[in-house]
Amino acid sequence: MPEHRAAYSCSNRRTIANRARGITFHKFHKDKEVRKKWEVALRREGFTASYSSVLCSQHFKQGDFDRTGQIVRLRDGVIPSVFSFLVHLQKDHSYALPASPTTYDQTQGSLGKSGKSGTREEECHGQSKEGKDHKLKEKLEFYSDLQIDLMAKQGNEYTKDYREFALTLHLHGPKAYKYLRETLHFPLPHPHTLQRCSVDAKPGLNKMMDMLERRCQGDQAKYGCVLLMLDAMSIRKNVQYNPHTQSMSGFVDMGDGNSETDVATEALVFIVVGLQGHWKAPTAYFLNKSLSPKTQMVLLSHALEELHARAFGWYLSSIRRPYGVGSPQGDCSSLGATCSGAVCLAQNLPPPCDSTIYCTGNLLHTVQMAKIFKDDKHFVDMGLRDTPSRILKKFQSLIKSNQGEALVSKLKDFLNTSFAEPGEEIEPWLPPDWKENPELLSQITDPRLKQWASDLNHLWKSLGRKIKQEVKDLPDRHSQIYVPNAVIVPGGRFREFYYWDSYWVINGLLLSEMSSTARGMIENFLYLVDRYGLIPNGGRVYYIRRSQPPFLTIMMDSYMENQKNITFLSQNIDLLEKEYHFWMTNRSVIVPLEGANYTLNRYNVPVGGPRPESYSDDYELAENLTDGQQTLWAELKAAAESGWDFSSRWFSKSQQDLKGTKTSSVIPVDLNAILCRVERTLVKFYKELKMDEKASKFQTALDQRIEAVKAVLWDDDVGVWLDYNLDDKSRNKEFFPSNLIPIWATCYNNQQYVDKAVTYLENNPAFKYRNGLPTSLKNTGQQWDFPNAWAPLQHMVIEGLEKTGSNKAKELAFSLAQKWVQTNYEVYQKYNAMFEKYNVENDSEPGGGGEYEVQLGFGWSNGVVLQLLDLYGARLTSSSVLCSTVSWVLVTLPFIISLWT
Ligand SMILES: OC[C@H]1O[C@H](O[C@H]2O[C@H](CO)[C@@H](O)[C@H](O)[C@H]2O)[C@H](O)[C@@H](O)[C@@H]1O
């Protein structure tokens, strides 16, 4: 009767050679109970020993044998314990790489409960799950780059790679393996043969990562969006000698090459699960003994970094912790996650956008950190000359074959050949509604100001841009976001539209009688709300997950005041409301104060990674932080969302510099004032549209906000509105022009607030500067601080004061307008240019500081000057009264002298 070797992967036979090596063969024990134990020890599903089943002596420990007699016998009751299991057989017992389809399904289930998986999946690609067959097909596709090699295999020899592939495929999906082998007749080894193959399944990262990376490059949509699972489980102490690899296993092994003497009692397994496409891949495992939560976190962040470096887009990590080790809450919070109980879902922040060229990945990191361009924005504004996946492939091979100095020079060549210069995707655009002599010019008395206003009117032509059709056709080759209508850009490095800048641009355009251009820009914003649910900071993909101060409804108000186009309003009112809801859903927070709860808004951008357009600055700023890098980067983005990037306004009390930026802890006066004005405008719009229910809904929202602004932001001692800090539970007493924006927004219900605030301004040292109202009184070197002054802030303060009805306020308003116009005019005379910001301290100088050179152009500065000339055209002068007297004397002196002589 033939013998059956019962042990998995055992190839020993009764041969002379084996007998010479001392290998003996042993029948299964007669005793039922002992026999059962042997069967279990074999880990063969459904296996029952028959009379002919045998085990060779290599599956027993030395001490299991009684060698006293002539025949080598097994001692009574011993159980075989030495096996070289393939990893997929280890799963039920110890350190298995969880590869069965059930693991995947369970994962889906647990995520489903938390409500995260579905949401992420939809957010990522918006598709639903597919059927079983499709799953199988996908598994096969997953390996498609290896199929050609397989079909080409000749002869009986299986190469190492080939064996590794076969083992990995079998591990990954036995059904797929069977299908390939039996239905498609791939020359794959029989699963039994496979059992004899040794596999390099050592702890640490395995080759799956490489395969995934290849897959991801080929199909970013399907493979770029992944979930990283970390599973920790207890294992039985089990030290074994593996004759195939001639090594011992069972000790602590972190895959770092260090030999440990402790026996492993725990296994950590990392599995990458495709959120789109139903695939999963075990990518790493570690054997350890009571791993500290901190080390677990280190391993997890390495795994995340690995994904990041290999250009995987979105990822979440789900952590199942072993019982009784550490506090899940503490561990998860270091990753910015929230947990409950022993199971927690750590959500890694999404990157600024999904592009593995413009927003995440090794290419972005390498180019920006090589500092090839003076301004990081240069690289992320370049278009691609080829598909993203081909460009990434080229980059990978460049990296592989070049290091050190050679890399930078090769990178430059690569950028020259694979990328287009910034701006090639847009063309200059002459606004068709541009007019030589808008009515506004005739209202300006000072001839020099009149000429200047005419120059500014001409500037619209140089700031007009139309996005080329190719951006619409091949969006993934451009960082520029497609919008249907041409735009007026700020200028300089800002080659795309900016959200809040456009409010002052549109106001200026309306004064220049260019209402079609203004309307086109508003339509673009409506299109963006419709498409993305928010208006991005600016017209680039790297701005897509953050916005800017919400001016859309107020822009529409400017347009409506000018054009009275009720049809346009009624066609788009829903989108105005949709944008409002974005802010209320994603940027609101409940502020508990003195026993009441108030709903107010803040800037908050839960998005990870450095800002792509300022990558190296952000990266270096956070470089020495042991934890909290992601948090700092998110806070910097929130500051950018405020439009005040950067400012002492967002610094925390304990750290008064850029590293201390904690924007999301601040309830900003200006944001809430702007939303007050949005709510008031929506009430007005709905009344005009005779939609009373909606009007009263927004009236209620407005009333509630006015109450909340009063309770939380009004400070009766200081006599003005102040930012409220959620961490310190206190108001920031520093001067900022934003403290006065509620006047502009009419976000109060009692005139006495205005009177007090006017007195506050009049007595504030900030008011004394002859070149305008500074952004703050702190000189931090940041651009939204002293000594810089910005057009939008001057405008909101001046227009607010002007409309209060108080004479004192109107006087202050005019005085500020005169200072601002004069400063801008003097700088214009000196540099023949308009700037984005100005210096209140030094005469005739633009502003400075911050992370980039001061820019010329400049959209909002032009718009604000035109607005002030419209408001006070008959009174404003190009120089101060003293200066104008002197210049009058100088002009008229020769005439006087001639009369005299
Ligand atoms: O590149 C750095 C930052 O540049 C922009 O901010 C500044 O310019 C914008 C356009 O004029 C303006 O809206 C903003 O208030 C300025 O601080 C950009 O908006 C930022 O997101 C970007 O990080």
Side-chain angles (χ1 to χ4, degrees), residues 499-608:
Y499 181 14
W500 78 318
D501 297 49
S502 299
Y503 171 60
W504 291 278
V505 167
I506 285 168
N507 288 344
L509 289 173
L510 292 171
L511 288 169
S512 291
E513 297 165 29
M514 296 165 67
S515 63
S516 313
T517 301
R519 177 180 160 147
M521 288 179 70
I522 295 174
E523 281 172 347
N524 285 346
F525 290 130
L526 293 164
Y527 162 88
L528 291 165
V529 175
D530 194 22
R531 178 146 191 204
Y532 300 104
L534 83 167
I535 298 175
N537 177 150
R540 297 275 171 185
V541 289
Y542 49 77
Y543 290 141
I544 207 100
R545 294 196 172 125
R546 65 183 197 244
S547 189
Q548 263 195 336
F551 275 93
L552 176 61
T553 299
I554 308 173
M555 287 176 195
M556 180 67 109
D557 194 28
S558 294
Y559 180 77
M560 286 295 293
E561 289 293 309
N562 189 276
Q563 293 294 303
K564 317 260 178 280
N565 187 342
I566 196 87
T567 318
F568 184 54
L569 176 65
S570 74
Q571 281 164 350
N572 293 299
I573 188 82
D574 288 353
L575 290 172
L576 299 183
E577 204 177 318
K578 183 172 177 186
E579 204 232 355
Y580 173 79
H581 283 302
F582 164 78
W583 284 88
M584 296 316 293
T585 312
N586 300 288
R587 302 292 190 260
S588 67
V589 63
I590 292 173
V591 187
L593 195 74
E594 289 164 11
N597 284 333
Y598 300 96
T599 301
L600 283 165
N601 291 70
R602 61 174 170 165
Y603 296 105
N604 185 28
V605 181
V607 167

Side-chain angles (χ1 to χ4, degrees), residues 377 490 493-494 498 500-501 537 543 546 548 611 613-614 640 643-645 783-784 790 836 851-852 858 860:
K377 190 169 184 297
R493 75 197 281 272
F494 302 115
Y498 280 79
W500 78 318
D501 297 49
N537 177 150
Y543 290 141
R546 65 183 197 244
Q548 263 195 336
R611 286 168 303 145
E613 77 282 12
S614 304
W644 289 50
D645 45 329
Q783 62 169 349
W784 287 83
W790 293 81
E836 61 170 341
E851 58 186 14
Y852 58 84
F858 196 94
W860 60 19

Side-chain angles (χ1 to χ4, degrees), residues 49 99 207 273-274 375 420 424 431 452 507 538 603 610 621 744 788 800 873:
K207 296 201 169 195
V273 182
D375 184 343
E424 281 188 20
W452 181 41
N507 288 344
Y603 296 105
L621 186 73
W744 168 83
N788 286 340

Side-chain angles (χ1 to χ4, degrees), residues 54 62 87 176 241 369 579 632 722 748 758:
V54 291
Q62 283 308 318
V87 274
Y241 176 72
M369 294 316 289
E579 204 232 355
L632 175 58
L722 298 172
Y748 54 84
V758 169

